[in-house]
Amino acid sequence: MRSALRHHITSIIVCTALALGFAALYVVNLPYTYTSSAVVLLAPAPGNPLTAEAASGSGTQTTVAMSTEAELVRTSAVRDIVADTLGRLAPDGRERLEVTIPTNTQMLEISFTSRTAKQAQEAAQAFAEGYLAFREERATSTQNSQLEALQTQIDAAEANLRRATSEAASAGTGSFASQEVQLYTDRLAQLSTSRSAAEALNTAPGSIIAPAVEPAGANELPEWVYFVAAAALGMLAGIAFALLREWRRDLVRDTNAAAEMDVAVFSTVPSPGSTLVKDTADDGTEHEAYRRLRAAVVANGPAPHILAVAGVEDESSWGIASNLAVVLAEAEFSVALIAADMSSAPSQDPLGIGRHRGLADSAGEVAAAREFLVETRGVNVLTAGLDTAGARDLTASPAFRAIVNSLHEDFDFVVIAAASAGSAEGDAALLASDSVLLILTSDRTKRARLNAALERFDRLGIDVLGAVKVTTAKAPATHSERSQRPTRTSRNEEMNPKYARARR
Protein backbone atom coordinates (compact mmCIF):
# COMPACT_ATOMS: atom_id res chain seq x y z
CA MET A 1 0.00 0.00 0.00
CA ARG A 2 2.76 2.47 0.91
CA SER A 3 4.54 1.72 -2.34
CA ALA A 4 1.34 2.26 -4.35
CA LEU A 5 0.69 5.57 -2.62
CA ARG A 6 4.28 6.70 -3.13
CA HIS A 7 4.56 5.78 -6.80
CA HIS A 8 1.01 6.34 -8.02
CA ILE A 9 -0.28 9.27 -5.97
CA THR A 10 -1.00 11.08 -9.25
CA SER A 11 -3.40 8.32 -10.30
CA ILE A 12 -5.25 8.63 -7.00
CA ILE A 13 -5.50 12.42 -7.36
CA VAL A 14 -6.72 12.14 -10.96
CA CYS A 15 -9.39 9.55 -10.05
CA THR A 16 -10.59 11.70 -7.16
CA ALA A 17 -10.71 14.80 -9.36
CA LEU A 18 -12.66 12.95 -12.05
CA ALA A 19 -15.15 11.68 -9.48
CA LEU A 20 -15.63 15.22 -8.11
CA GLY A 21 -16.09 16.50 -11.66
CA PHE A 22 -18.80 13.94 -12.39
CA ALA A 23 -20.43 14.81 -9.06
CA ALA A 24 -20.44 18.51 -9.96
CA LEU A 25 -21.95 17.72 -13.36
CA TYR A 26 -24.62 15.56 -11.73
CA VAL A 27 -25.45 18.19 -9.11
CA VAL A 28 -25.74 20.93 -11.76
CA ASN A 29 -28.19 18.84 -13.80
CA LEU A 30 -30.00 17.29 -10.84
CA PRO A 31 -33.78 18.06 -10.99
CA TYR A 32 -34.51 19.01 -7.41
CA THR A 33 -38.05 18.26 -6.18
CA TYR A 34 -40.06 19.37 -3.17
CA THR A 35 -42.95 17.60 -1.45
CA SER A 36 -45.73 19.14 0.64
CA SER A 37 -48.60 17.29 2.35
CA ALA A 38 -52.06 18.13 3.68
CA VAL A 39 -54.08 15.84 5.98
CA VAL A 40 -57.88 15.67 5.59
CA LEU A 41 -60.26 14.22 8.21
CA LEU A 42 -63.35 12.81 6.46
CA ALA A 43 -66.90 13.12 7.78
CA PRO A 44 -69.82 10.82 6.79
CA ALA A 45 -71.82 12.56 4.09
CA PRO A 46 -74.86 11.55 2.04
CA GLY A 47 -73.95 9.31 -0.86
CA ASN A 48 -70.48 8.17 0.28
CA PRO A 49 -69.37 4.78 1.65
CA LEU A 50 -68.73 6.16 5.15
CA THR A 51 -72.41 6.92 5.90
CA ALA A 52 -74.19 4.88 8.52
CA GLU A 53 -76.47 3.23 5.99
CA ALA A 54 -73.53 2.27 3.69
CA ALA A 55 -71.03 1.07 6.29
CA SER A 56 -71.50 -2.22 8.08
CA GLY A 57 -69.13 -1.38 10.95
CA SER A 58 -66.53 -3.99 9.97
CA GLY A 59 -62.86 -3.13 9.51
CA THR A 60 -62.83 -4.52 5.99
CA GLN A 61 -65.76 -2.34 4.96
CA THR A 62 -64.06 0.75 6.38
CA THR A 63 -60.81 -0.10 4.57
CA VAL A 64 -62.63 -0.51 1.28
CA ALA A 65 -64.53 2.74 1.86
CA MET A 66 -61.31 4.67 2.60
CA SER A 67 -59.62 3.21 -0.47
CA THR A 68 -62.56 4.42 -2.54
CA GLU A 69 -62.28 7.89 -1.04
CA ALA A 70 -58.53 7.94 -1.79
CA GLU A 71 -59.17 7.16 -5.44
CA LEU A 72 -61.64 10.05 -5.65
CA VAL A 73 -58.76 12.50 -5.09
CA ARG A 74 -57.24 11.40 -8.42
CA THR A 75 -60.45 11.75 -10.44
CA SER A 76 -60.76 14.24 -13.28
CA ALA A 77 -63.49 16.14 -11.42
CA VAL A 78 -61.13 17.01 -8.58
CA ARG A 79 -58.33 17.82 -11.05
CA ASP A 80 -60.64 20.26 -12.84
CA ILE A 81 -61.32 22.05 -9.55
CA VAL A 82 -57.57 22.19 -8.80
CA ALA A 83 -56.81 23.46 -12.31
CA ASP A 84 -59.32 26.33 -11.82
CA THR A 85 -57.66 27.15 -8.47
CA LEU A 86 -54.05 27.02 -9.67
CA GLY A 87 -54.61 28.26 -13.18
CA ARG A 88 -52.72 25.28 -14.62
CA LEU A 89 -52.97 21.53 -15.00
CA ALA A 90 -51.59 19.55 -12.10
CA PRO A 91 -49.78 17.28 -11.90
CA ASP A 92 -47.80 17.71 -15.11
CA GLY A 93 -45.12 15.36 -16.45
CA ARG A 94 -42.56 16.15 -13.75
CA GLU A 95 -44.96 16.37 -10.80
CA ARG A 96 -46.43 13.60 -8.68
CA LEU A 97 -49.61 13.22 -6.60
CA GLU A 98 -49.77 10.61 -3.83
CA VAL A 99 -52.65 9.78 -1.48
CA THR A 100 -52.08 7.59 1.58
CA ILE A 101 -54.35 6.43 4.37
CA PRO A 102 -52.90 6.51 7.89
CA THR A 103 -53.52 3.18 9.59
CA ASN A 104 -56.87 2.76 11.42
CA THR A 105 -58.05 6.30 10.66
CA GLN A 106 -60.61 8.07 8.49
CA MET A 107 -57.97 10.50 7.26
CA LEU A 108 -56.27 11.03 3.92
CA GLU A 109 -52.74 12.38 3.54
CA ILE A 110 -52.48 14.17 0.21
CA SER A 111 -48.85 14.69 -0.88
CA PHE A 112 -47.77 16.65 -3.94
CA THR A 113 -44.24 16.73 -5.39
CA SER A 114 -43.21 19.60 -7.64
CA ARG A 115 -40.13 21.46 -8.91
CA THR A 116 -40.41 24.27 -6.37
CA ALA A 117 -41.44 24.38 -2.73
CA LYS A 118 -44.12 26.99 -3.42
CA GLN A 119 -45.75 24.97 -6.18
CA ALA A 120 -45.72 21.84 -4.04
CA GLN A 121 -47.42 23.63 -1.13
CA GLU A 122 -50.04 25.32 -3.34
CA ALA A 123 -50.91 22.13 -5.20
CA ALA A 124 -51.18 19.98 -2.06
CA GLN A 125 -53.50 22.54 -0.43
CA ALA A 126 -55.50 22.91 -3.65
CA PHE A 127 -56.05 19.17 -3.93
CA ALA A 128 -57.16 18.94 -0.29
CA GLU A 129 -59.59 21.82 -0.69
CA GLY A 130 -60.74 20.67 -4.14
CA TYR A 131 -61.40 17.16 -2.88
CA LEU A 132 -63.49 18.46 0.03
CA ALA A 133 -65.39 20.79 -2.32
CA PHE A 134 -66.12 17.90 -4.67
CA ARG A 135 -67.18 15.73 -1.73
CA GLU A 136 -69.45 18.46 -0.38
CA GLU A 137 -70.98 19.07 -3.82
CA ARG A 138 -71.68 15.39 -4.26
CA ALA A 139 -73.21 15.12 -0.77
CA THR A 140 -75.43 18.17 -1.38
CA SER A 141 -76.50 16.81 -4.75
CA THR A 142 -77.35 13.46 -3.20
CA GLN A 143 -79.36 15.17 -0.41
CA ASN A 144 -81.29 17.31 -2.89
CA SER A 145 -82.08 14.27 -4.98
CA GLN A 146 -83.42 12.47 -1.91
CA LEU A 147 -85.51 15.47 -0.89
CA GLU A 148 -86.97 15.82 -4.38
CA ALA A 149 -87.87 12.14 -4.46
CA LEU A 150 -89.50 12.36 -1.02
CA GLN A 151 -91.39 15.50 -1.99
CA THR A 152 -92.77 13.78 -5.09
CA GLN A 153 -93.94 10.88 -2.97
CA ILE A 154 -95.48 13.26 -0.41
CA ASP A 155 -97.38 15.12 -3.14
CA ALA A 156 -98.73 11.83 -4.50
CA ALA A 157 -99.71 10.65 -1.03
CA GLU A 158 -101.52 13.94 -0.30
CA ALA A 159 -103.45 13.68 -3.59
CA ASN A 160 -104.48 10.12 -2.85
CA LEU A 161 -105.47 11.10 0.68
CA ARG A 162 -107.75 13.86 -0.61
CA ARG A 163 -109.36 11.46 -3.08
CA ALA A 164 -109.89 8.75 -0.45
CA THR A 165 -111.36 11.28 2.02
CA SER A 166 -113.88 12.48 -0.57
CA GLU A 167 -114.95 8.94 -1.45
CA ALA A 168 -115.22 7.92 2.22
CA ALA A 169 -117.52 10.90 2.97
CA SER A 170 -119.99 9.81 0.33
CA ALA A 171 -119.74 6.04 0.95
CA GLY A 172 -119.75 5.95 4.74
CA THR A 173 -117.38 4.83 7.41
CA GLY A 174 -117.42 1.17 6.66
CA SER A 175 -116.45 1.53 3.04
CA PHE A 176 -113.14 0.67 1.38
CA ALA A 177 -112.46 4.36 0.89
CA SER A 178 -112.37 4.93 4.62
CA GLN A 179 -109.65 2.28 4.90
CA GLU A 180 -107.62 4.04 2.17
CA VAL A 181 -107.82 7.26 4.19
CA GLN A 182 -106.11 5.59 7.09
CA LEU A 183 -103.47 3.99 4.81
CA TYR A 184 -102.53 7.25 3.06
CA THR A 185 -102.49 9.12 6.36
CA ASP A 186 -99.85 6.70 7.72
CA ARG A 187 -97.91 6.85 4.44
CA LEU A 188 -97.87 10.63 4.52
CA ALA A 189 -96.61 10.64 8.09
CA GLN A 190 -93.74 8.29 7.21
CA LEU A 191 -92.71 10.36 4.20
CA SER A 192 -92.75 13.54 6.26
CA THR A 193 -90.50 11.89 8.84
CA SER A 194 -88.06 10.74 6.13
CA ARG A 195 -87.97 14.25 4.62
CA SER A 196 -87.22 15.78 7.99
CA ALA A 197 -84.41 13.25 8.51
CA ALA A 198 -82.98 13.99 5.05
CA GLU A 199 -83.12 17.72 5.65
CA ALA A 200 -81.28 17.25 8.95
CA LEU A 201 -78.38 15.33 7.42
CA ASN A 202 -74.97 17.12 7.67
CA THR A 203 -73.42 17.61 4.25
CA ALA A 204 -70.05 18.81 5.59
CA PRO A 205 -67.39 16.71 3.78
CA GLY A 206 -64.75 16.93 6.48
CA SER A 207 -61.94 19.31 7.37
CA ILE A 208 -58.24 19.91 6.73
CA ILE A 209 -56.59 19.16 10.06
CA ALA A 210 -53.02 19.72 8.79
CA PRO A 211 -52.79 22.33 6.04
CA ALA A 212 -49.97 22.05 3.50
CA VAL A 213 -46.87 24.04 4.37
CA GLU A 214 -43.96 25.05 2.21
CA PRO A 215 -41.20 22.39 2.55
CA ALA A 216 -37.95 23.54 4.12
CA GLY A 217 -35.71 21.54 1.80
CA ALA A 218 -35.61 19.44 -1.31
CA ASN A 219 -36.27 15.72 -1.33
CA GLU A 220 -32.78 15.00 -2.66
CA LEU A 221 -29.66 14.81 -0.50
CA PRO A 222 -27.68 18.01 0.14
CA GLU A 223 -25.07 18.86 -2.47
CA TRP A 224 -22.15 18.35 -0.08
CA VAL A 225 -23.18 14.71 0.41
CA TYR A 226 -22.70 14.02 -3.31
CA PHE A 227 -19.28 15.65 -3.27
CA VAL A 228 -18.15 13.77 -0.14
CA ALA A 229 -19.41 10.47 -1.56
CA ALA A 230 -17.77 11.20 -4.92
CA ALA A 231 -14.46 12.08 -3.25
CA ALA A 232 -14.54 8.88 -1.17
CA LEU A 233 -15.45 6.68 -4.14
CA GLY A 234 -12.91 8.42 -6.36
CA MET A 235 -10.19 7.97 -3.77
CA LEU A 236 -11.06 4.29 -3.30
CA ALA A 237 -11.08 3.78 -7.07
CA GLY A 238 -7.75 5.59 -7.32
CA ILE A 239 -6.22 3.45 -4.59
CA ALA A 240 -7.51 0.29 -6.27
CA PHE A 241 -6.10 1.45 -9.58
CA ALA A 242 -2.78 2.34 -7.93
CA LEU A 243 -2.61 -1.08 -6.27
CA LEU A 244 -3.35 -2.73 -9.62
CA ARG A 245 -0.61 -0.73 -11.33
CA GLU A 246 1.82 -1.48 -8.52
CA TRP A 247 0.94 -5.18 -8.68
CA ARG A 248 1.49 -5.22 -12.43
CA ARG A 249 4.96 -3.77 -11.89
CA ASP A 250 5.83 -7.14 -10.30
CA LEU A 251 8.51 -5.72 -8.04
CA VAL A 252 10.52 -7.36 -5.29
CA ARG A 253 9.22 -5.62 -2.18
CA ASP A 254 10.12 -7.93 0.70
CA THR A 255 12.44 -10.73 1.60
CA ASN A 256 9.80 -13.38 0.95
CA ALA A 257 9.71 -12.49 -2.76
CA ALA A 258 13.41 -13.26 -3.13
CA ALA A 259 13.16 -16.33 -0.90
CA GLU A 260 10.52 -17.75 -3.26
CA MET A 261 13.22 -17.68 -5.96
CA ASP A 262 15.78 -19.43 -3.74
CA VAL A 263 17.77 -16.28 -3.01
CA ALA A 264 18.59 -15.65 0.65
CA VAL A 265 18.38 -11.97 1.60
CA PHE A 266 21.21 -11.50 4.10
CA SER A 267 20.42 -7.96 5.23
CA THR A 268 18.53 -4.77 4.44
CA VAL A 269 20.71 -1.67 4.12
CA PRO A 270 19.92 1.93 3.25
CA SER A 271 20.89 3.31 -0.12
CA PRO A 272 24.65 4.10 0.12
CA GLY A 273 25.62 7.74 -0.07
CA SER A 274 28.94 9.49 -0.49
CA THR A 275 30.26 8.44 2.92
CA LEU A 276 31.13 5.07 4.42
CA VAL A 277 29.57 3.54 7.47
CA LYS A 278 31.36 4.34 10.69
CA ASP A 279 33.82 1.86 12.09
CA THR A 280 32.21 1.63 15.52
CA ALA A 281 29.52 -0.79 16.48
CA ASP A 282 27.32 1.69 18.33
CA ASP A 283 26.66 4.20 15.54
CA GLY A 284 23.16 3.04 14.62
CA THR A 285 21.26 0.65 12.44
CA GLU A 286 23.25 1.22 9.21
CA HIS A 287 26.47 -0.19 10.62
CA GLU A 288 24.56 -3.02 12.27
CA ALA A 289 22.95 -3.90 8.92
CA TYR A 290 26.35 -4.21 7.26
CA ARG A 291 27.64 -6.27 10.19
CA ARG A 292 24.77 -8.71 9.60
CA LEU A 293 25.67 -8.76 5.90
CA ARG A 294 29.31 -9.45 6.79
CA ALA A 295 28.36 -12.34 9.07
CA ALA A 296 26.25 -13.94 6.35
CA VAL A 297 28.94 -13.51 3.71
CA VAL A 298 31.62 -15.03 5.95
CA ALA A 299 29.34 -17.92 6.91
CA ASN A 300 28.26 -18.80 3.38
CA GLY A 301 31.49 -17.88 1.54
CA PRO A 302 34.37 -18.66 3.89
CA ALA A 303 37.76 -17.09 3.19
CA PRO A 304 39.63 -17.03 0.93
CA HIS A 305 36.81 -16.02 -1.37
CA ILE A 306 36.23 -13.94 -4.49
CA LEU A 307 32.89 -12.20 -4.12
CA ALA A 308 31.32 -10.16 -6.91
CA VAL A 309 28.67 -7.55 -5.99
CA ALA A 310 26.22 -6.72 -8.80
CA GLY A 311 22.79 -5.19 -9.14
CA VAL A 312 19.92 -6.95 -10.89
CA GLU A 313 18.79 -3.68 -12.48
CA ASP A 314 21.23 -0.88 -13.34
CA GLU A 315 22.19 -0.18 -9.72
CA SER A 316 25.75 0.87 -8.98
CA SER A 317 27.48 -1.75 -6.85
CA TRP A 318 30.33 0.52 -5.75
CA GLY A 319 28.72 1.85 -2.55
CA ILE A 320 27.57 -1.58 -1.32
CA ALA A 321 30.90 -3.22 -2.18
CA SER A 322 32.88 -0.43 -0.46
CA ASN A 323 30.89 -0.65 2.77
CA LEU A 324 31.07 -4.45 2.77
CA ALA A 325 34.83 -4.34 2.25
CA VAL A 326 35.23 -1.87 5.13
CA VAL A 327 33.24 -3.97 7.63
CA LEU A 328 35.17 -7.08 6.52
CA ALA A 329 38.39 -5.22 7.26
CA GLU A 330 37.00 -4.21 10.66
CA ALA A 331 36.78 -7.93 11.47
CA GLU A 332 40.53 -8.23 10.67
CA PHE A 333 40.08 -9.87 7.29
CA SER A 334 42.46 -8.83 4.56
CA VAL A 335 40.34 -7.36 1.79
CA ALA A 336 40.99 -6.24 -1.78
CA LEU A 337 38.32 -4.18 -3.54
CA ILE A 338 38.24 -4.04 -7.36
CA ALA A 339 36.14 -1.50 -9.27
CA ALA A 340 35.31 -3.60 -12.33
CA ASP A 341 32.42 -1.49 -13.64
CA MET A 342 34.09 -0.01 -16.71
CA SER A 343 30.90 1.25 -18.34
CA SER A 344 30.49 4.02 -15.77
CA ALA A 345 33.05 4.87 -13.15
CA PRO A 346 31.58 5.35 -9.64
CA SER A 347 30.11 8.81 -9.41
CA GLN A 348 30.48 8.82 -5.65
CA ASP A 349 33.73 8.37 -3.81
CA PRO A 350 32.89 7.10 -0.30
CA LEU A 351 36.48 5.89 0.16
CA GLY A 352 37.88 9.35 -0.58
CA ILE A 353 40.49 8.14 -3.08
CA GLY A 354 39.72 10.54 -5.91
CA ARG A 355 41.02 10.11 -9.46
CA HIS A 356 43.72 7.47 -9.44
CA ARG A 357 45.29 5.07 -11.87
CA GLY A 358 43.79 1.64 -11.64
CA LEU A 359 42.45 -1.39 -13.49
CA ALA A 360 41.94 0.34 -16.85
CA ASP A 361 45.55 1.61 -16.79
CA SER A 362 47.16 -1.73 -15.89
CA ALA A 363 46.93 -3.05 -19.48
CA GLY A 364 46.06 -6.41 -17.98
CA GLU A 365 49.42 -6.82 -16.23
CA VAL A 366 49.32 -8.25 -12.74
CA ALA A 367 52.37 -6.34 -11.56
CA ALA A 368 50.98 -3.05 -12.77
CA ALA A 369 47.64 -3.71 -11.12
CA ARG A 370 49.33 -4.40 -7.80
CA GLU A 371 51.22 -1.12 -8.04
CA PHE A 372 47.93 0.77 -8.38
CA LEU A 373 46.46 -0.61 -5.12
CA VAL A 374 45.50 2.14 -2.67
CA GLU A 375 45.04 1.27 0.99
CA THR A 376 42.34 3.09 2.94
CA ARG A 377 40.32 2.05 5.99
CA GLY A 378 42.18 -1.29 5.96
CA VAL A 379 41.03 -2.07 2.39
CA ASN A 380 43.33 -2.33 -0.64
CA VAL A 381 41.45 -0.69 -3.48
CA LEU A 382 42.03 -1.14 -7.20
CA THR A 383 40.08 1.69 -8.79
CA ALA A 384 38.55 1.60 -12.25
CA GLY A 385 41.33 3.85 -13.49
CA LEU A 386 41.54 6.95 -15.61
CA ASP A 387 40.88 5.56 -19.09
CA THR A 388 37.81 3.40 -18.51
CA ALA A 389 36.44 4.03 -22.02
CA GLY A 390 39.32 2.15 -23.59
CA ALA A 391 39.18 -0.80 -21.20
CA ARG A 392 35.53 -1.86 -21.33
CA ASP A 393 36.42 -5.34 -22.55
CA LEU A 394 39.13 -5.87 -19.96
CA THR A 395 36.87 -7.79 -17.52
CA ALA A 396 36.20 -10.42 -20.20
CA SER A 397 39.89 -11.05 -20.83
CA PRO A 398 42.16 -13.68 -19.24
CA ALA A 399 44.24 -10.79 -17.91
CA PHE A 400 41.44 -9.70 -15.60
CA ARG A 401 41.12 -13.21 -14.21
CA ALA A 402 44.85 -13.31 -13.69
CA ILE A 403 44.71 -10.09 -11.68
CA VAL A 404 41.83 -11.41 -9.59
CA ASN A 405 43.51 -14.76 -8.96
CA SER A 406 46.74 -13.00 -8.02
CA LEU A 407 44.97 -10.89 -5.42
CA HIS A 408 43.08 -13.97 -4.26
CA GLU A 409 46.38 -15.50 -3.17
CA ASP A 410 47.19 -12.63 -0.81
CA PHE A 411 43.79 -11.56 0.55
CA ASP A 412 41.03 -13.30 2.47
CA PHE A 413 38.36 -11.60 0.42
CA VAL A 414 38.52 -10.11 -3.04
CA VAL A 415 35.38 -8.00 -3.49
CA ILE A 416 34.56 -7.08 -7.09
CA ALA A 417 32.22 -4.13 -7.64
CA ALA A 418 30.78 -5.37 -10.96
CA ALA A 419 28.45 -3.87 -13.52
CA SER A 420 24.79 -4.87 -13.42
CA ALA A 421 23.97 -8.53 -13.97
CA GLY A 422 23.00 -9.21 -17.56
CA SER A 423 25.39 -6.70 -19.05
CA ALA A 424 28.48 -7.90 -20.90
CA GLU A 425 30.86 -6.36 -18.37
CA GLY A 426 28.80 -7.56 -15.44
CA ASP A 427 28.55 -11.22 -16.49
CA ALA A 428 32.25 -11.26 -17.41
CA ALA A 429 33.20 -10.01 -13.94
CA LEU A 430 30.87 -12.49 -12.29
CA LEU A 431 32.48 -15.39 -14.16
CA ALA A 432 35.80 -14.45 -12.55
CA SER A 433 34.35 -14.77 -9.01
CA ASP A 434 33.53 -17.65 -6.70
CA SER A 435 30.02 -16.32 -6.09
CA VAL A 436 27.89 -13.24 -6.51
CA LEU A 437 26.05 -11.06 -4.02
CA LEU A 438 22.98 -9.58 -5.74
CA ILE A 439 21.67 -6.10 -5.00
CA LEU A 440 17.85 -5.95 -4.83
CA THR A 441 16.49 -2.42 -4.70
CA SER A 442 13.20 -2.12 -2.84
CA ASP A 443 10.26 -1.18 -5.09
CA ARG A 444 12.50 -1.15 -8.15
CA THR A 445 13.86 -4.61 -8.86
CA LYS A 446 11.38 -6.58 -10.97
CA ARG A 447 10.73 -10.23 -10.25
CA ALA A 448 10.99 -11.02 -13.95
CA ARG A 449 14.48 -9.46 -14.11
CA LEU A 450 15.56 -11.34 -11.00
CA ASN A 451 14.21 -14.62 -12.35
CA ALA A 452 15.91 -14.04 -15.71
CA ALA A 453 19.20 -13.28 -13.96
CA LEU A 454 18.98 -16.46 -11.90
CA GLU A 455 18.27 -18.55 -14.99
CA ARG A 456 21.22 -16.97 -16.79
CA PHE A 457 23.50 -17.62 -13.80
CA ASP A 458 22.40 -21.25 -13.83
CA ARG A 459 23.34 -21.58 -17.51
CA LEU A 460 26.70 -19.80 -17.00
CA GLY A 461 27.56 -21.73 -13.85
CA ILE A 462 27.64 -18.64 -11.63
CA ASP A 463 26.99 -19.38 -7.97
CA VAL A 464 24.65 -16.96 -6.16
CA LEU A 465 25.79 -16.49 -2.59
CA GLY A 466 22.79 -14.38 -1.55
CA ALA A 467 21.32 -10.94 -1.84
CA VAL A 468 21.26 -7.62 -0.03
CA LYS A 469 18.13 -5.51 -0.10
CA VAL A 470 18.59 -1.76 -0.52
CA THR A 471 15.98 0.68 0.73
CA THR A 472 15.67 4.34 -0.12
CA ALA A 473 15.56 5.50 3.52
CA LYS A 474 17.24 4.48 6.71
CA ALA A 475 14.96 2.31 8.78
CA PRO A 476 15.42 0.17 11.88
CA ALA A 477 15.99 -3.47 11.20
CA THR A 478 12.93 -5.65 11.45
CA HIS A 479 12.65 -8.59 13.76
CA SER A 480 12.65 -10.97 10.80
CA GLU A 481 15.96 -9.53 9.62
CA ARG A 482 17.50 -9.84 13.06
CA SER A 483 16.37 -13.43 13.25
CA GLN A 484 17.81 -14.36 9.81
CA ARG A 485 20.92 -16.50 10.02
CA PRO A 486 22.91 -18.15 7.21
CA THR A 487 22.31 -21.80 6.65
CA ARG A 488 25.87 -22.77 7.58
CA THR A 489 26.29 -20.42 10.53
CA SER A 490 26.91 -22.84 13.34
CA ARG A 491 29.22 -25.06 11.30
CA ASN A 492 31.39 -22.16 10.12
CA GLU A 493 31.55 -20.63 13.58
CA GLU A 494 32.95 -23.89 14.89
CA MET A 495 35.36 -24.59 12.02
CA ASN A 496 36.35 -21.08 10.85
CA PRO A 497 37.93 -18.81 13.50
CA LYS A 498 37.48 -15.82 11.24
CA TYR A 499 33.71 -16.16 11.52
CA ALA A 500 33.97 -15.40 15.22
CA ARG A 501 35.87 -12.22 14.34
CA ALA A 502 33.16 -11.30 11.87
CA ARG A 503 30.50 -11.45 14.56
CA ARG A 504 32.45 -9.19 16.92
Side-chain angles (χ1 to χ4, degrees):
M1 174 65 75
R2 290 194 301 269
S3 179
L5 293 177
R6 183 169 63 252
H7 293 106
H8 306 291
I9 187 64
T10 303
S11 299
I12 299 175
I13 295 175
V14 170
C15 288
T16 304
L18 287 176
L20 290 174
F22 283 120
L25 185 63
Y26 177 77
V27 169
V28 169
N29 295 278
L30 180 64
Y32 282 95
T33 58
Y34 300 83
T35 300
S36 182
S37 301
V39 179
V40 177
L41 176 63
L42 303 183
N48 68 68
L50 295 178
T51 57
E53 56 271 17
S56 64
S58 66
T60 303
Q61 180 66 28
T62 302
T63 301
V64 172
M66 291 302 298
S67 299
T68 302
E69 292 288 344
E71 291 301 321
L72 289 177
V73 181
R74 301 183 177 91
T75 59
S76 58
V78 176
R79 293 190 182 207
D80 291 341
I81 298 174
V82 173
D84 293 339
T85 302
L86 299 178
R88 65 181 180 89
L89 294 177
D92 60 17
R94 296 180 62 182
E95 296 177 327
R96 186 173 66 254
L97 173 66
E98 294 181 351
V99 183
T100 57
I101 306 170
T103 306
N104 298 326
T105 65
Q106 290 189 5
M107 295 185 295
L108 296 180
E109 183 177 2
I110 302 173
S111 301
F112 194 87
T113 302
S114 185
R115 293 178 292 274
T116 66
K118 186 66 175 177
Q119 288 180 345
Q121 183 268 333
E122 291 176 347
Q125 188 68 20
F127 266 98
E129 294 173 352
Y131 167 66
L132 291 180
F134 170 73
R135 200 166 185 267
E136 183 178 15
E137 179 184 357
R138 193 177 65 167
T140 302
S141 176
T142 300
Q143 184 184 45
N144 291 335
S145 298
Q146 291 177 351
L147 290 175
E148 289 177 1
L150 289 173
Q151 186 61 45
T152 300
Q153 295 178 33
I154 290 173
D155 292 342
E158 288 177 348
N160 289 328
L161 179 59
R162 286 193 298 271
R163 178 187 57 78
T165 301
S166 176
E167 291 178 357
S170 56
T173 58
S175 64
F176 177 74
S178 62
Q179 294 179 358
E180 282 187 317
V181 170
Q182 182 62 40
L183 178 63
Y184 286 120
T185 301
D186 294 339
R187 175 64 175 166
L188 186 59
Q190 292 175 357
L191 292 173
S192 297
T193 302
S194 297
R195 184 177 63 181
S196 299
E199 291 175 345
L201 286 176
N202 184 11
T203 58
S207 60
I208 301 176
I209 61 175
V213 296
E214 190 171 328
N219 299 327
E220 289 72 23
L221 295 173
E223 294 181 357
W224 64 268
V225 175
Y226 293 102
F227 285 105
V228 170
L233 292 177
M235 187 174 297
L236 290 176
I239 292 174
F241 182 60
L243 290 174
L244 176 62
R245 291 187 63 187
E246 189 67 15
W247 173 75
R248 286 175 62 88
R249 291 176 68 192
D250 195 30
L251 301 177
V252 176
R253 298 183 178 86
D254 51 33
T255 57
N256 293 331
E260 292 173 359
M261 299 181 179
D262 297 328
V263 178
V265 178
F266 292 152
S267 183
T268 298
V269 300
S271 180
S274 59
T275 58
L276 291 173
V277 293
K278 296 180 180 180
D279 57 358
T280 57
D282 58 348
D283 64 332
T285 57
E286 184 177 1
H287 189 271
E288 178 61 23
Y290 276 100
R291 291 178 68 244
R292 284 197 302 274
L293 177 60
R294 178 186 64 192
V297 168
V298 172
N300 291 277
H305 196 85
I306 304 173
L307 177 66
V309 181
V312 175
E313 300 289 338
D314 57 349
E315 301 96 340
S316 174
S317 60
W318 181 247
I320 300 294
S322 298
N323 284 321
L324 176 59
V326 168
V327 295
L328 285 171
E330 289 176 2
E332 300 180 6
F333 289 104
S334 58
V335 183
L337 175 62
I338 303 176
D341 187 358
M342 295 295 181
S343 59
S344 58
S347 59
Q348 296 174 334
D349 188 19
L351 293 170
I353 297 175
R355 290 179 58 82
H356 193 277
R357 300 179 69 187
L359 184 62
D361 308 297
S362 66
E365 297 181 4
V366 175
R370 284 180 171 274
E371 291 180 1
F372 297 150
L373 289 175
V374 179
E375 184 176 357
T376 177
R377 294 285 297 273
V379 179
N380 288 271
V381 183
L382 181 60
T383 66
L386 303 178
D387 185 21
T388 58
R392 295 187 60 181
D393 293 331
L394 178 60
T395 55
S397 66
F400 176 74
R401 298 196 179 190
I403 294 174
V404 173
N405 291 332
S406 173
L407 296 177
H408 186 215
E409 296 175 357
D410 298 333
F411 294 93
D412 295 327
F413 284 95
V414 177
V415 180
I416 303 174
S420 59
S423 65
E425 296 178 18
D427 288 349
L430 300 185
L431 287 170
S433 65
D434 294 332
S435 62
V436 57
L437 178 68
L438 291 176
I439 300 174
L440 305 179
T441 304
S442 179
D443 296 332
R444 181 182 176 188
T445 303
K446 293 183 173 61
R447 292 172 182 252
R449 290 288 297 272
L450 175 59
N451 190 45
L454 295 178
E455 291 179 356
R456 189 171 58 257
F457 292 162
D458 186 60
R459 292 194 301 269
L460 297 177
I462 299 174
D463 183 27
V464 179
L465 185 69
V468 56
K469 181 182 175 184
V470 178
T471 59
T472 56
K474 295 183 179 181
T478 61
H479 174 73
S480 60
E481 290 173 345
R482 294 192 184 99
S483 62
Q484 286 182 352
R485 292 294 183 268
T487 56
R488 299 195 297 269
T489 298
S490 58
R491 178 176 177 82
N492 280 279
E493 187 171 3
E494 294 175 358
M495 300 184 65
N496 192 343
K498 293 182 180 179
Y499 179 80
R501 296 202 304 272
R503 292 299 299 166
R504 288 199 297 268

